[in-house]
Amino acid sequence: MSTVTTSPILDILDQLGIREENNGVSTGAETLSGAGGAISSFSPVDGSSIATVRIAGRKEYDAVVERAQKAFISWRKWPAPARGEVVRQVGEALRAHKADLGKLVSYEMGKSYQEGLGEVQEMIDICDFAVGLSRQLHGLTMHSERPDHRMYEQWHPIGLVGIITAFNFPVAVWSWNSMLAWVCGDVCIWKPSEKTPLCSIACQQITQRVFEQNQVPEGVSCVVNGGREVGEWIAADTRIPMVSATGSTRMGKAVGAAVGARLGRSLLELGGNNAIIISDRADLKMALLASVFGAVGTAGQRCTSTRRLIVHKDVYDELKDSLVNAYKQLRIGDPLDEANHVGPLIDRDAVELYLEALRAVDEQGGKWLVEGGVLEGEGYASGCYVKPAIAEVDPGMAIVQQETFAPILYLMPYEGDLEQAIAIQNGVAQGLSSSIMTADLHEAEHFLSCAGSDCGIANVNIGTSGAEIGGAFGGEKETGGGRESGSDAWKAYMRRQTNTINYGRSLPLAQGIKFDI
């Protein structure tokens, strides 16, 4: 890795152990040369080139997989509580580096410093969850129909887990997968977004120091930085029984097809087109805060960002006026300045997609309440800062059916009962996060019923973003159907085995079959 910036972030890189000799291909203590070329990390905050990172060629990739295979042979034999103790120490190391890693996330990705800190806290929380889980990897005991027999289920590590992550949560999503996989006895190969390579190197450095202190086998944690081809190698690799991929629906379909073709297992966290239903029985102050943060947090680049507001006609005008007024107060600028609400988009390609969406709204007949555009002038030199926008739309418009990874909020009324609002909400291809704002118990419970939201996440009186790690995270339909993080998501990283034990002195067969010789 070569550092080519004079930015103050250099001090942070040094604190996190990212130095010029680091490359983006690592099996832990061993850092490979990275013969596949290089990628540059640019900050959307000020346009600076932070560093150039060497990436993997096929030879380095195969070396990583081979090292991971060897590590798995011994790591799977560690008692699960012992693996959990290592993860506990990783959590402590993250606590010690929370400010530095949070600042790197903010600077390399562009989210606010508060959100960067929140992302690292999410990593710490999942470490805590995984530590407790390491003593609860339980199976079931069942009664056999045969005399003097017993049956039970147990769970074993699945092996190598490929983790493909997106730029918008450059560290948290990796931790959701890796911490659970590690306590389950798996080893992980991480392909991070090529837009945020330094965050992955920082996580590897923090983790590796803990691993070395505990004599964890080389290869339990691997990082392979690179472009699309690395993800394709992972998806097609029969040595990797499970692949967890986070990104666009288009990317997820390609990964799912490649993994499925070899009968592997995939965990997909894909697009979201999330809506908040605002009832005439809602607390409008709460609804306003949930809507604004959901729409502009991370500059609209969360998979759980609020894209659509479905508002009862009786409170529509009041909420609309409040939204417009709130947007006038948003401060857009350097995300490391905690006075600002909104930072930049990840890069200029994202800006172009934002502008395409604005043009589509115009072409399809939307009406702007708050107009968008690219910000220019002092403080906006990177060209990645845009104005959060609000448009009144028809729910059937093509652009409203799509996920636009930008701060564009679509506002639409409903005039009938809650069934109409739910139909509008469910009438898109994605099914990640949803919310209703209401003080009516009947509405709330109906929204959560089987006849209500069809999303993997359904909230009452909170927004669509900001999920906690205690619940399984994921969605339905074109969101992919995967579940990460809390609850029983650990089962995705293990293989289930049914055991039947005969402790008698005869061999009765199941279903009463007679077979005498």
Side-chain angles (χ1 to χ4, degrees):
M1 185 189 87
S2 58
T3 305
V4 293
T5 181
T6 58
S7 165
I9 203 69
L10 284 179
D11 292 338
I12 301 299
L13 299 184
D14 189 59
Q15 290 294 320
L16 293 171
I18 304 177
R19 301 179 179 87
E20 292 197 19
E21 67 269 19
N22 291 146
N23 284 300
V25 186
S26 171
T27 61
E30 181 180 0
T31 299
L32 306 181
S33 60
I39 51 176
S40 294
S41 173
F42 289 91
S43 172
V45 175
D46 54 19
S48 294
S49 177
I50 311 171
T52 300
V53 176
R54 300 292 299 177
I55 62 176
R58 182 69 201 213
K59 180 179 179 181
E60 290 77 37
Y61 168 80
D62 284 332
V64 167
V65 175
E66 290 169 9
R67 184 61 60 86
Q69 286 180 303
K70 292 178 181 177
F72 175 60
I73 299 302
S74 56
W75 180 242
R76 66 185 178 183
K77 296 177 183 176
W78 284 43
R83 299 191 296 254
E85 168 57 20
V86 175
V87 170
R88 184 194 68 79
Q89 293 178 38
V90 172
E92 290 302 309
L94 289 169
R95 284 182 171 89
H97 289 286
K98 180 177 177 179
D100 291 335
L101 185 55
K103 190 165 289 187
L104 176 61
V105 168
S106 178
Y107 188 68
E108 189 175 33
M109 184 267 150
K111 64 175 59 177
S112 74
Y113 180 48
Q114 279 298 312
E115 290 184 81
L117 291 174
E119 184 167 350
V120 181
Q121 184 60 49
E122 202 163 351
M123 301 175 76
I124 295 167
D125 292 344
I126 199 65
C127 287
D128 290 347
F129 180 90
V131 173
L133 179 65
S134 69
R135 294 181 181 270
Q136 300 180 70
L137 299 174
H138 51 78
L140 296 173
T141 299
M142 295 151 286
H143 290 281
S144 172
E145 67 184 61
R146 289 167 281 187
D148 298 331
H149 284 59
R150 69 181 179 91
M151 298 176 63
Y152 69 93
E153 292 179 346
Q154 61 178 332
W155 296 82
H156 295 302
I158 195 169
L160 278 62
V161 175
I163 304 171
I164 302 171
T165 60
F167 71 86
N168 59 332
F169 279 84
V171 295
V173 174
W174 165 74
S175 72
W176 292 356
N177 287 275
S178 60
M179 302 307 163
L180 297 191
W182 286 338
V183 299
C184 290
D186 300 319
V187 301
C188 298
I189 299 174
W190 180 18
K191 189 277 177 198
S193 169
E194 54 268 41
K195 298 179 181 183
T196 52
L198 297 182
C199 286
S200 68
I201 297 173
C203 289
Q204 183 74 336
Q205 290 294 106
I206 292 169
T207 299
Q208 187 53 35
R209 287 194 287 267
V210 174
F211 279 18
E212 288 177 348
Q213 292 166 5
N214 289 273
Q215 298 181 311
V216 172
E218 175 85 14
V220 170
S221 177
C222 301
V223 174
V224 185
N225 267 292
R228 176 178 177 177
E229 68 281 356
V230 176
E232 291 172 346
W233 296 339
I234 291 173
D237 198 332
T238 57
R239 297 169 295 181
I240 303 176
M242 178 189 169
V243 178
S244 174
T246 302
S248 68
T249 297
R250 178 182 57 80
M251 180 276 288
K253 287 180 177 180
V255 170
V259 176
R262 59 179 175 86
L263 298 182
R265 187 186 302 180
S266 59
L267 191 165
L268 302 175
E269 297 289 357
L270 310 176
N273 190 355
N274 315 295
I276 300 177
I277 296 172
I278 300 178
S279 162
D280 58 336
R281 298 172 177 86
D283 181 322
L284 293 186
K285 289 184 179 179
M286 288 175 57
L288 178 67
L289 181 59
S291 302
V292 175
F293 176 74
V296 308
T298 323
Q301 297 173 112
R302 293 186 177 210
C303 51
T304 56
S305 289
T306 304
R307 312 285 177 202
R308 300 173 294 146
L309 289 186
I310 304 163
V311 186
H312 193 280
K313 64 180 181 61
D314 289 350
V315 295
Y316 184 84
D317 288 337
E318 181 179 355
L319 183 77
K320 178 175 69 174
D321 292 344
S322 297
L323 276 171
V324 172
N325 184 59
Y327 269 53
K328 290 177 182 177
Q329 300 173 53
L330 291 175
R331 293 184 293 274
I332 307 167
D334 183 348
L336 293 172
D337 181 348
E338 296 187 59
N340 291 323
H341 298 106
V342 185
L345 295 178
I346 184 65
D347 56 23
R348 294 192 180 187
D349 289 341
V351 172
E352 183 53 39
L353 292 174
Y354 161 85
L355 292 174
E356 287 179 10
L358 297 185
R359 291 191 288 269
V361 171
D362 287 331
E363 293 167 0
Q364 295 171 27
K367 175 185 176 183
W368 292 110
L369 300 176
V370 177
E371 293 189 358
V374 180
L375 292 167
E376 299 177 345
E378 185 177 355
Y380 305 127
S382 70
C384 297
Y385 291 87
V386 302
K387 299 175 184 177
I390 306 175
E392 288 184 303
V393 298
D394 182 276
M397 287 168 49
I399 188 61
V400 180
Q401 299 291 309
Q402 302 172 16
E403 178 190 40
T404 301
F405 235 49
I408 303 175
L409 182 63
Y410 301 121
L411 189 62
M412 59 203 81
Y414 72 98
E415 298 185 4
D417 58 16
L418 183 60
E419 295 288 353
Q420 182 193 14
I422 291 174
I424 294 171
Q425 180 212 271
N426 292 347
V428 296
Q430 309 83 4
L432 179 53
S433 187
S434 59
S435 178
I436 186 171
M437 307 298 292
T438 182
D440 186 296
L441 178 63
H442 299 290
E443 287 189 329
E445 290 295 334
H446 182 65
F447 179 75
L448 301 179
S449 75
C450 62
S453 170
D454 65 0
C455 295
I457 299 170
N459 299 326
V460 175
N461 290 329
I462 64 170
T464 60
S465 62
E468 298 180 28
I469 61 92
F473 180 89
E476 302 299 327
K477 302 189 292 188
E478 287 196 355
T479 300
R483 293 296 185 274
E484 295 171 313
S485 191
S487 186
D488 65 348
W490 60 272
K491 293 180 179 178
Y493 307 92
M494 304 194 84
R495 59 181 177 87
R496 178 160 47 184
Q497 184 180 80
T498 300
N499 308 114
T500 304
I501 300 169
N502 179 0
Y503 58 88
R505 298 185 182 278
S506 61
L507 188 66
L509 301 178
Q511 292 83 49
I513 294 173
K514 301 295 184 183
F515 186 78
D516 296 322
I517 56 174

